[in-house]
Amino acid sequence: GGVLAVTTWDTQNFFMHRMFFETAAELDADARERRAEACARPMARSDGLKAMWHDLGLTGITLGRLSISMTFTSFDDLWIPMDGADGPYAQYLANLDARHKAKLHERLRAVYLNGSPDGSRTYEAAAWAIKGTVM
């Protein structure tokens, strides 16, 4: 009779996440594999979550979507946490040599700027929320 509930980023539609991995995939074959792992994993898709909850034998399954706005004051505000110590961006960046990392930095900066001056940008970030009852 207990409830199992989980939230997980909707990485297929998480613009910042896609922007990073799509840009990296343009420059690096290894990033294409990481893009698939990071953006298309079953636990980040509504159909994958529903299938897992059904496979677990849960009942009364409900799925919802939560959204937040993420505002960055500049490209550096976006980049600095990506180049940190944790998460999928940092894990990918840690394996790049300095030249390749600089190339990705500049290409991602160009995507962020999109022909406009550096400054504030707001992106939507969405997550799936699913719950079901344990029988």
Side-chain angles (χ1 to χ4, degrees):
V3 174
L4 178 61
V6 170
T7 58
T8 184
W9 290 116
D10 174 3
T11 55
Q12 287 187 311
N13 298 299
F14 188 168
F15 183 78
M16 182 182 90
H17 195 73
R18 295 296 297 215
M19 181 172 61
F20 179 89
F21 282 106
E22 295 293 339
T23 303
E26 290 176 11
L27 304 172
D28 178 22
D30 180 51
R32 291 182 199 111
E33 288 180 35
R34 288 179 182 257
R35 175 184 58 193
E37 292 169 11
C39 297
R41 59 191 171 82
M43 286 296 292
R45 298 188 333 252
S46 62
D47 61 335
L49 286 166
K50 285 181 187 177
M52 179 174 280
W53 260 233
H54 282 290
D55 292 348
L56 291 171
L58 301 173
T59 61
I61 297 168
T62 59
L63 178 74
R65 188 172 161 87
L66 308 169
S67 295
I68 62 168
S69 294
M70 299 178 75
T71 300
F72 301 94
T73 59
S74 65
F75 173 71
D76 284 342
D77 191 29
L78 172 83
W79 176 261
I80 290 169
M82 287 180 166
D83 195 20
D86 192 29
Y89 316 117
Q91 290 169 0
Y92 174 73
L93 291 170
N95 294 314
L96 296 181
D97 62 48
R99 184 182 61 77
H100 191 105
K101 186 174 174 180
K103 189 174 180 179
L104 175 57
H105 178 273
E106 287 310 307
R107 180 67 188 116
L108 189 61
R109 185 175 193 280
V111 171
Y112 178 89
L113 296 179
N114 194 30
S116 298
D118 196 5
S120 181
R121 306 285 191 280
T122 300
Y123 302 117
E124 178 190 17
W128 294 110
I130 189 167
K131 71 176 183 175
T133 303
V134 178
M135 293 302 291

